[in-house]
Amino acid sequence: MPRVKKKLDLESEDWIGGSKWRKEIEDTIQETQSLKERCRQNAVAMWHPEGPPRDPNVARHLVREACLAPWRFRMELVKGGGMLETPPLGKGVTLWWGKIKPPAWKSRLPLPLLRDMTTLQTTKQIQSYTRGCRLVAARLNRAGDQVNQKMRALMKQRESSDRVLSIVRRGILINQQCKKLRSYRPPSEKVPDQVDELLEKERQLLLNLKKKLEQDLGISESVVKDLAKCRSSLESCCQQRLLVVEFLNKCLEDVLGTARRKSWLYLSRAPTPWAEINATPPPSPVGTYTPECAVALEMARQLYSKAHDVLRQLVRNQALVQSQQEATFKKVNQNLAQKMEETMFLKELLNVSSGLMRGTINRNERFKRDLERTQGIVQGPATVNYLEIREKLTRPMVRVYQRHVGTQLPEATRLGQASQCLDKFLTHTNQDLVELHAAQKNLKSCMRDKQLGYNVDYATLRLRQHQNHRHMTYEAAQRLVQD
């Protein structure tokens, strides 16, 4: 008969061997099972991270369902009554047949392709850093170009403002020459007039305009120096960023076109919604956008806006200075021309008066000669040549008549009275002639003064028109004054 094998239990009492021997076997078996379980867990843990410890009070199938819940597809209701199943987000292999997407497992062991993978990651990191440096360098280059353009525009405007300042200084010099030239007028023509007032107002206006332009040029000079310093720092930072882009052969302008960083491409760009989408990266000492680059760009942005304001102020003040100076110059010239017309009109009036004065003097001289002739006739003969004149008081008829007593004739008295009257009129005529000659001399002097005043005003007007020509410089005007 075959022997029937008896099934034994470790805890039964049918064992023949000793308990110590059996205990050793049990320990060996348990150690083997624990070692196998630990090796299995370690092998599994090499491919995915260890999960949270399982709660012994929760059933195994509930733990499994809780673990699989995030892996299952999401059900969304679509317009029209249908259902749309979408896998969960994240990395991993999507199992469409099971409607599940477990997370990607990660190996904790270095795989055979570790070296290639590390090389690829290093290459990607280097390429990313190099592209970032190239983008920052392109941005710095663009900022440097914009700063350079603004500086050139400011320097060009400074040259224009300097020319206007030279014109203003030349106007001050012309004003001084006009005042000095008008001081050579005769004393009668030095009566203060509107031309003198306008010349003084023009001088004060030109001094104020000169001060304003000098202040603007001083401010613009400091801004140009700051822009030059900022341009040098931008170029230095750009060259420093370009040290690592030797293997990238793309143009910097194309980099700016494809970077889609509209928020920090242009210094003059106004804030736009792109600034929130493509914000400027934070500066990092070991990154592509270093603090030095950030400081240089921020300085460039501030100086660009400041230079823009200074440029607008220069243009506005230059136009204001030119308009005010031209208006004042034209007004002074018009008053000078009007003063010359008034002088010539007064000279013509004096000429007419002088002509009338000459006629009056001639008439008075003829009257004086007639009086002298009449006086000679009334007084009688003055020499023996006139003895035959019958009006002599000792003529024979008068002597015969005066032989009787009381026979006096009034002829002598009347002749004496007539002689006195003629002497009186002759004296008045002489006085009138003296006054007429003095008046005639005064008229000639006034006419000469008017002519001199007209000549001085004409020379002043010619001087202003000649030295205010656009080809006349301040240095040339100074040489003319010195000569």
Side-chain angles (χ1 to χ4, degrees):
M1 291 179 62
R3 289 186 303 175
V4 178
K5 293 184 179 180
K6 185 178 180 180
K7 189 176 182 181
L8 300 176
D9 190 4
L10 292 175
E11 296 181 357
S12 64
E13 297 179 356
D14 296 336
W15 287 89
I16 299 175
S19 60
K20 183 178 180 181
W21 172 75
R22 190 172 65 249
K23 182 65 175 172
E24 291 177 357
I25 298 300
E26 291 177 359
D27 294 340
T28 302
I29 293 173
Q30 289 180 0
E31 290 178 0
T32 303
Q33 290 179 354
S34 63
L35 179 61
K36 182 185 69 173
E37 183 65 22
R38 183 170 60 82
C39 292
R40 185 187 67 81
Q41 292 179 0
N42 290 338
V44 173
M46 291 179 185
W47 291 94
H48 69 89
E50 296 181 357
R54 189 175 68 84
D55 191 357
N57 299 323
V58 181
R60 187 178 294 274
H61 67 281
L62 295 178
V63 175
R64 178 179 176 82
E65 288 297 329
C67 182
L68 294 178
W71 301 358
R72 299 191 183 280
F73 281 25
R74 299 175 183 176
M75 308 295 291
E76 296 181 2
L77 185 63
V78 188
K79 217 184 246 186
M83 298 295 293
L84 178 63
E85 296 181 350
T86 56
L89 301 177
K91 297 181 180 180
V93 180
T94 304
L95 304 177
W96 294 93
W97 57 271
K99 304 301 181 185
I100 193 172
K101 184 179 180 181
W105 285 16
K106 297 182 180 179
S107 175
R108 300 178 63 184
L109 291 175
L111 299 178
L113 50 88
L114 175 64
R115 186 178 184 86
D116 297 336
M117 183 182 65
T118 306
T119 302
L120 291 176
Q121 290 178 353
T122 303
T123 303
K124 289 182 180 180
Q125 182 179 354
I126 292 175
Q127 289 179 349
S128 177
Y129 180 82
T130 306
R131 291 191 182 97
C133 289
R134 184 177 60 182
L135 178 60
V136 173
R139 174 67 187 95
L140 292 170
N141 187 29
R142 173 64 63 83
D145 291 342
Q146 292 179 349
V147 168
N148 189 33
Q149 291 177 3
K150 186 59 67 175
M151 186 174 67
R152 291 176 61 183
L154 194 57
M155 292 177 64
K156 185 176 180 180
Q157 185 59 39
R158 270 178 52 83
E159 293 177 357
S160 179
S161 298
D162 190 45
R163 287 194 296 269
V164 175
L165 179 60
S166 176
I167 294 174
V168 172
R169 289 174 177 171
R170 186 186 64 192
I172 296 174
L173 186 61
I174 293 173
N175 184 274
Q176 294 176 356
Q177 293 176 353
C178 291
K179 284 187 174 181
K180 185 177 179 180
L181 187 59
R182 282 176 63 85
S183 65
Y184 294 119
R185 293 177 297 170
S188 61
E189 296 297 320
K190 290 184 179 180
V191 180
D193 51 9
Q194 294 184 0
V195 177
D196 296 329
E197 296 178 0
L198 285 176
L199 285 175
E200 183 62 27
K201 290 182 180 179
E202 183 188 28
R203 178 176 175 274
Q204 296 296 332
L205 176 64
L206 291 176
L207 289 177
N208 294 332
L209 296 179
K210 174 176 172 290
K211 183 178 180 181
K212 181 186 296 185
L213 285 176
E214 287 177 350
Q215 290 178 354
D216 292 341
L217 287 175
I219 295 173
S220 62
E221 183 180 3
S222 63
V223 173
V224 167
K225 291 182 180 178
D226 294 339
L227 286 174
K229 188 183 300 182
C230 179
R231 182 183 62 179
S232 300
S233 61
L234 287 173
E235 291 178 355
S236 176
C237 292
C238 179
Q239 293 298 327
Q240 199 275 337
R241 291 292 91 188
L242 289 175
L243 293 176
V244 295
V245 296
E246 295 180 357
F247 296 102
L248 299 178
N249 56 356
K250 196 172 184 179
C251 180
L252 295 180
E253 294 295 331
D254 296 339
V255 172
L256 290 176
T258 58
R260 297 180 58 84
R261 302 197 63 84
K262 301 294 183 182
S263 61
W264 58 304
L265 280 182
Y266 299 99
L267 295 176
S268 59
R269 181 181 293 276
T272 58
W274 280 96
E276 299 179 0
I277 301 174
N278 293 327
T280 303
S284 175
V286 294
T288 59
Y289 190 58
T290 59
E292 291 80 7
C293 298
V295 171
L297 284 176
E298 184 63 27
M299 184 187 301
R301 186 177 292 107
Q302 294 177 0
L303 287 176
Y304 189 89
S305 59
K306 184 178 180 181
H308 184 69
D309 296 338
V310 171
L311 183 61
R312 291 179 57 186
Q313 182 179 359
L314 280 176
V315 174
R316 183 172 60 251
N317 289 342
Q318 178 180 346
L320 180 63
V321 167
Q322 287 179 340
S323 61
Q324 289 183 355
Q325 185 183 9
E326 290 177 359
T328 308
F329 185 82
K330 289 181 179 178
K331 191 172 182 180
V332 173
N333 288 352
Q334 290 175 1
N335 280 266
L336 269 175
Q338 185 176 356
K339 178 67 183 300
M340 291 167 57
E341 293 178 359
E342 293 175 358
T343 304
M344 290 304 297
F345 178 73
L346 293 177
K347 182 186 175 183
E348 293 296 331
L349 291 180
L350 291 173
N351 194 9
V352 173
S353 300
S354 177
L356 296 175
M357 186 64 66
R358 284 195 300 271
T360 305
I361 290 174
N362 293 331
R363 284 195 302 271
N364 284 345
E365 288 180 350
R366 287 195 301 269
F367 182 65
K368 178 183 177 181
R369 288 194 297 271
D370 293 342
L371 287 176
E372 290 176 350
R373 190 181 301 110
T374 304
Q375 185 180 13
I377 295 174
V378 171
Q379 291 180 355
T383 61
V384 294
N385 297 326
Y386 294 95
L387 292 178
E388 66 274 8
I389 295 178
R390 290 172 298 175
E391 284 79 5
K392 191 174 180 181
L393 292 178
T394 59
R395 60 187 179 270
M397 184 179 291
V398 175
R399 282 185 297 178
V400 172
Y401 175 72
Q402 288 181 345
R403 289 175 181 175
H404 293 278
V405 179
T407 56
Q408 298 293 330
L409 294 174
E411 183 179 0
T413 303
R414 292 178 181 177
L415 289 175
Q417 292 177 353
S419 298
Q420 291 178 359
C421 183
L422 286 174
D423 292 338
K424 184 178 180 180
F425 275 101
L426 188 60
T427 303
H428 290 169
T429 303
N430 290 328
Q431 292 178 356
D432 291 341
L433 283 173
V434 171
E435 292 178 358
L436 286 172
H437 283 294
Q440 186 182 25
K441 184 178 180 180
N442 188 21
L443 284 175
K444 291 181 179 179
S445 175
C446 290
M447 290 173 61
R448 184 174 61 255
D449 292 346
K450 291 291 183 292
Q451 184 64 39
L452 288 176
Y454 177 84
N455 294 336
V456 169
D457 290 339
Y458 179 74
T460 304
L461 185 61
R462 284 290 304 273
L463 174 69
R464 293 177 63 86
Q465 292 177 350
H466 177 263
Q467 294 194 2
N468 198 58
H469 195 268
R470 60 181 181 179
H471 296 301
M472 178 67 68
T473 61
Y474 176 69
E475 291 77 10
Q478 280 186 328
R479 288 195 297 269
L480 287 178
V481 172
Q482 293 175 359
D483 294 341

